[in-house]
Amino acid sequence: MEERLIMDLVPGLEGIPAAESAISYIDGDEGILEYRGIPIETLAVKSNFIEVAYLLIFGELPDRDEYERFKSDVTYHTRLKLKILRMMEWLPENGHPMHYLQAVTSAMGMYYPARDTLDEEVRYWSAVRLIAKLPTIVAASHRLKHGDEPIKPRNDLSFAANFYYMLFEREPLPLVERILDTMLTLHADHTMNASTFSSRVVGSTLADPYTIVSSAIGTLSGPLHGGANEEVVRMLAEIGTKENVRPYIEARLERKEKIMGIGHRVYKTRDPRGEVLKGFIEELIAHKDIDSGVFELSKEVELVVAERLTGKNLHPNVDFYSGIVFNGMGIPTDLFTPIFAMGRVAGWLAHWMEQLKTNRIYRPTQKYIGKRKEPYIPMEERKRATAR
Ligand SMILES: CC(C)(COP(=O)(O)OP(=O)(O)OC[C@H]1O[C@@H](n2cnc3c(N)ncnc32)[C@H](O)[C@@H]1OP(=O)(O)O)[C@@H](O)C(=O)NCCC(=O)NCCS
């Protein structure tokens, strides 16, 4: 047997492989992201989210019949049960949408039992339901929070257009529909990040898929994972005007503060997802029905940052552009991370299924640094150096 001696603790498991995976590939130096070997830029232009979800989960692009069946299965499972909607009505109005999403996803496990995760049919239908219902939950929770009736999904609309319709009770402009769909594709997978790891760990216990996805949603809700795009919008609101961009950036750098949406741990030359979104900014500016103010502002930020941070290999990341694009399309800021989850669910499900193929329950070790063989001191004799 191969001898393994891994005694050094690696904080955050940085650089430690946690699984063998054939789902997505990143080359940070070259700025490459591929799903099942296909570059993200190609998928963003030629494919759509439903097809990308199929590709990630089942490993290959679907043929026409497979695509139509998967699309129709997802489309016809977008509705929420009345009891689930009733349950949502009782949730607090000031709750964060990620809490709603996690709670309702978890509750779905009681309505659609899927405990036998080794059964292929169970896996297929739970994947279909999760992809289909996450947008309905996000839209319904947003409307309920604002005192509005949830809107029933429309099967005649595309996946992205239906989500927009359930949020705003009107159909999106074709450009907005295309961008929303691409946004889901761009967020659908990103190798072994924290929420994906979470889905593999929970999946390795043979827990049901609703529990797995709700755990991944909880992991994504932390500000160190999802959420940088919300910060970008806050920053742009603080900047306010084009004239204020330079003084604002200068002052922030002076205080040694990071500029939100700039730089990336992995992508050191370009973030390919950001590049795709950057292309949309020009289209949004050119569109006569869309206010271009925030896009003009973002271009100025990009310009000043490039000038001020030249030589540091820092570039706008996906969150920079997604924050701006969402904001410019009128998407409420607290829905950015839930929309991220609507796309990433495809990756979580793909990783769960891949995990099951060669499953071994995750059981890492620890480096114990606590005391040993301590006496038990009776309560009346316990003294603390400092009071708590
Ligand atoms: C993403 C991030 C954590 C990557 O950090 P990192 O890998 O540690 O970055 P590096 O250490 O390679 O940074 C190199 C240099 O650029 C600086 N830098 C990195 N990101 C910066 C930013 N957003 N604004 C200003 N300076 C930045 C660092 O301070 C460092 O400067 P130094 O060499 O003078 O010490 C960081 O860029 C950041 O916090 N960005 C803003 C938040 C954000 O957009 N997060 C979403 C990521 S998808």
Side-chain angles (χ1 to χ4, degrees):
M1 199 178 133
E2 189 193 337
E3 198 181 334
R4 285 172 300 177
L5 269 179
I6 307 171
M7 295 307 290
D8 289 334
L9 176 73
V10 180
L13 299 182
E14 192 170 345
I16 305 285
E20 279 190 334
S21 183
I23 299 170
S24 59
Y25 170 80
I26 295 176
D27 181 331
D29 295 328
E30 298 291 326
I32 291 171
L33 169 62
E34 293 169 355
Y35 294 165
R36 301 283 185 188
I38 305 177
I40 192 71
E41 295 91 336
T42 308
L43 291 169
V45 174
K46 299 201 165 158
S47 188
N48 62 61
F49 176 64
I50 292 291
E51 189 179 59
V52 163
Y54 187 101
L55 170 72
L56 289 169
I57 294 171
F58 301 108
E60 286 180 50
L61 287 170
D63 63 24
R64 170 74 47 204
D65 287 348
E66 289 165 337
Y67 173 72
E68 291 301 341
R69 180 184 164 215
F70 187 60
K71 189 173 125 189
S72 145
D73 288 343
V74 169
T75 305
Y76 284 91
H77 283 83
T78 45
R79 279 201 183 198
L80 290 179
K81 280 185 184 291
L82 185 62
K83 277 192 165 182
I84 293 184
L85 279 169
R86 292 259 157 86
M87 182 191 89
M88 290 174 72
E89 283 170 11
W90 286 94
L91 297 175
E93 277 152 21
N94 55 359
H96 193 279
M98 287 299 275
H99 279 132
Y100 276 82
L101 192 58
Q102 187 181 21
V104 180
T105 302
S106 176
M108 274 170 66
M110 290 184 268
Y111 291 96
Y112 308 104
R115 305 287 300 170
D116 186 3
T117 54
L118 300 179
D119 181 323
E120 210 175 303
E121 285 283 301
V122 167
R123 288 205 299 271
Y124 178 79
W125 286 108
S126 51
V128 163
R129 285 199 172 95
L130 279 158
I131 293 169
K133 292 187 201 301
L134 253 53
T136 320
I137 300 169
V138 173
S141 65
H142 178 75
R143 291 188 65 84
L144 286 167
K145 263 171 73 103
H146 291 85
D148 294 323
E149 282 271 344
I151 295 172
K152 285 203 178 94
R154 264 181 53 190
N155 294 350
D156 60 315
L157 297 178
S158 73
F159 190 79
N162 175 51
F163 171 63
Y164 187 96
Y165 172 76
M166 289 189 293
L167 264 184
F168 301 121
E169 213 172 358
R170 62 174 191 277
E171 292 177 35
L173 295 166
L175 174 61
V176 169
E177 175 182 359
R178 185 155 58 86
I179 294 176
L180 261 180
D181 190 81
T182 308
M183 203 67 104
L184 298 176
T185 291
L186 296 179
H187 286 89
D189 199 49
H190 208 231
T191 73
M192 197 56 66
N193 52 84
S195 59
T196 300
F197 184 44
S198 162
S199 73
R200 290 193 83 119
V201 172
V202 181
S204 80
T205 70
L206 302 189
D208 73 85
Y210 302 101
T211 305
I212 292 164
V213 170
S214 81
S215 138
I217 291 169
T219 311
L220 179 65
S221 73
L224 292 185
H225 194 348
N229 48 11
E230 295 186 28
E231 296 296 331
V232 171
V233 171
R234 267 178 221 117
M235 180 181 79
L236 290 179
E238 268 171 49
I239 293 175
T241 61
K242 220 167 155 181
E243 296 66 46
N244 196 29
V245 169
R246 190 172 292 276
Y248 178 94
I249 302 282
E250 298 283 358
R252 205 160 167 144
L253 292 176
E254 192 71 27
R255 294 195 300 270
K256 303 251 173 287
E257 285 174 15
K258 297 254 164 75
I259 311 300
M260 298 319 291
I262 305 295
H264 198 278
R265 225 349 94 81
V266 182
Y267 296 118
K268 293 302 177 194
T269 47
R270 67 194 271 274
D271 180 338
R273 303 161 303 168
E275 296 286 310
V276 171
L277 292 177
K278 188 177 177 178
F280 284 133
I281 294 208
E282 293 304 328
E283 285 192 62
L284 286 161
I285 288 176
H287 203 291
K288 63 176 178 28
D289 295 324
I290 297 175
D291 179 2
S292 65
V294 71
F295 307 120
E296 303 282 2
L297 201 63
S298 75
K299 281 178 78 169
E300 187 69 13
V301 171
E302 220 185 308
L303 216 81
V304 175
V305 163
E307 199 183 289
R308 283 293 282 103
L309 295 174
T310 181
K312 286 204 173 186
N313 248 346
L314 294 173
H315 307 270
N317 57 48
V318 69
D319 288 312
F320 182 77
Y321 295 112
S322 69
I324 291 157
V325 167
F326 276 146
N327 186 249
M329 296 192 313
I331 304 290
T333 311
D334 65 352
L335 295 190
F336 293 1
T337 313
I339 295 173
F340 182 162
M342 282 162 38
R344 186 56 59 87
V345 70
W348 294 331
L349 291 165
H351 279 269
W352 161 53
M353 294 198 196
E354 187 179 67
Q355 176 65 32
L356 289 186
K357 282 189 192 154
T358 52
N359 191 41
R360 186 164 170 82
I361 187 168
Y362 276 92
R363 196 356 179 147
T365 188
Q366 61 170 14
K367 200 164 181 176
Y368 181 69
I369 56 162
K371 298 174 186 171
R372 295 280 329 275
K373 299 190 176 158
E374 284 282 292
Y376 179 85
I377 302 169
M379 198 173 281
E380 52 281 5
E381 292 172 26
R382 292 173 208 165
K383 291 202 179 68
R384 302 246 184 269
T386 51
R388 281 219 179 110

